[in-house]
Amino acid sequence: MKPFEQLTNRGKARRLRPLVINALERYDFDVSDIQLVGMFTNAIFRLRTDDGQSYIMRVCTPGWRTKIDLISEIMWLQALSDETDIRVPEPKPTRDGDLFVESSASGVPEARRCVVMSWIPGPLLEKRLSQINLYKMGILFAKLHDHGSRFIPQNGFTKRKMDSIFSRGEPEVLFSTASQDAFTPITENILRHTDQKVREAFAHLYSKTQGIQVIHNDLHHGNIKIYHGQLFPLDFEDTIWGYPVQDIAMALQDLMVDLAPDEFGPLQNAFREGYESVRQWPEEYEGQSDTFRAGRMLWVANYVAHKEREFLGEFIDWLAPVFSRYLETGLIRKT
């Protein structure tokens, strides 16, 4: 049998299907159809039941997130569902009341945690980018931040903080000896200077004793669905302690990457207007979110250096002018 990691995504999905079926034996609904949604970091399957209901099952990749991360995600989703009007995926328990199960199958090298949640209909917001929808996205963020600031988790919730570029123990290899041939003296100076400014911003933010709260930490237009004009946030697996400005930085960075330079400004402004219609904009100074956006870009560069080394030189050549402008203006913009 071919090793699992050598399979195509389609082949991996076929191997995982019996694992999904085994996990479903713990649940009380009769599933008539199992459909692959996508092989992302985790595998996502849509489940249709005999009575016409739909759910998703996330088959978690071993080592990607911990058991505590999963429990923390479920805790916040349950609280949001019970205490707000934000429609989020609702975790569905097994017949024994467990909120996730571990399942295995032949040909899959490790047991995998599986969690079932309610299905959210509609296309992703990334296919419906407009000023009115970014205004709604700003409102959504403000509501999530408002709840996160009041949320008091039970025992068992993560204590992890988003207090550095590499908050989950990722190996730091961007400036290692193995990466040096991807730099020129100029590009290395630009990236190191940017890295220093970002680390100083983290140190300043986390020197405070107030304001830290639960945040999503990976909410952007590709993790939000839109249905009948309403926005629904997804994928809370990066739930962590942090500051709202970091959540906003993540969203705006991903937005900029997917837009032409002249499209970003109006949508960014609409997002801010929506946010400020609910609560105060969380930047301590103008451009604070841009510094954390630079941190996100350094994280991506480090990932490329670690996982996709052959593309590192090209990525640094693209990144250096963006960072050069940031060092001059304090803003992250496409050049």
Side-chain angles (χ1 to χ4, degrees), residues 5-149:
E5 293 304 324
Q6 295 180 18
L7 298 172
T8 64
N9 282 343
R10 185 182 296 273
K12 290 177 180 178
R14 280 197 296 265
R15 291 268 185 96
L16 289 172
R17 186 181 177 87
L19 184 147
V20 170
I21 293 171
N22 291 339
L24 286 172
E25 293 179 358
R26 301 275 303 277
Y27 291 85
D28 265 339
F29 32 78
D30 296 318
V31 173
S32 58
D33 183 59
I34 301 171
Q35 179 183 5
L36 177 69
V37 175
M39 295 291 295
F40 308 109
T41 304
N42 303 299
I44 306 296
F45 293 86
R46 182 175 183 176
L47 314 174
R48 290 182 172 88
T49 62
D50 291 343
D51 60 359
Q53 299 296 313
S54 285
Y55 302 92
I56 71 158
M57 177 182 284
R58 181 204 295 157
V59 180
C60 302
T61 297
W64 174 245
R65 292 291 179 259
T66 67
K67 180 178 178 180
I68 291 176
D69 293 330
L70 183 55
I71 291 171
S72 302
E73 173 188 15
I74 291 170
M75 282 186 185
W76 196 24
L77 285 172
Q78 289 176 319
L80 285 166
S81 181
D82 293 341
E83 300 167 10
T84 75
D85 63 356
I86 303 170
R87 184 175 171 187
V88 296
E90 297 179 37
K92 300 299 180 181
T94 67
R95 68 174 62 90
D96 297 324
D98 297 322
L99 288 170
F100 66 90
V101 302
E102 290 198 2
S103 181
S104 58
S106 176
V108 181
E110 300 173 72
R112 302 193 176 215
R113 298 187 185 101
C114 301
V115 58
V116 175
M117 301 184 189
S118 59
W119 173 260
I120 302 295
L124 292 173
L125 182 60
E126 64 186 10
K127 301 183 182 299
R128 300 287 190 274
L129 294 178
S130 66
Q131 290 188 41
I132 184 61
N133 285 340
L134 265 292
Y135 183 89
K136 293 177 180 178
M137 182 172 157
I139 292 173
L140 173 62
F141 269 65
K143 287 183 174 181
L144 284 169
H145 290 162
D146 185 60
H147 185 270
S149 69

Side-chain angles (χ1 to χ4, degrees), residues 197-210:
K197 288 180 68 69
V198 171
R199 290 177 187 270
E200 290 171 354
F202 271 105
H204 168 74
L205 188 62
Y206 283 85
S207 67
K208 301 186 301 178
T209 58
Q210 294 182 331

Side-chain angles (χ1 to χ4, degrees), residues 277-304:
S277 72
V278 176
R279 74 195 312 253
Q280 183 177 348
W281 189 245
E283 285 188 314
E284 295 179 0
Y285 54 86
E286 193 67 30
Q288 185 185 24
S289 63
D290 291 79
T291 298
F292 291 108
R293 288 174 58 198
R296 176 63 174 173
M297 297 173 82
L298 285 166
W299 183 92
V300 173
N302 186 77
Y303 178 88
V304 173

Side-chain angles (χ1 to χ4, degrees), residues 39 66 72 85 102 141 151 169 172 236 266 271 306 311 316:
M39 295 291 295
T66 67
S72 302
D85 63 356
E102 290 198 2
F141 269 65
F151 177 52
E172 298 182 39
F236 282 70
F271 174 87
H306 183 50
F311 302 113
I316 288 173

Side-chain angles (χ1 to χ4, degrees), residues 210-225:
Q210 294 182 331
I212 194 167
Q213 63 172 78
V214 173
I215 60 172
H216 185 289
N217 200 41
D218 192 28
L219 193 60
H220 50 81
H221 56 285
N223 270 341
I224 300 172
K225 281 193 170 184

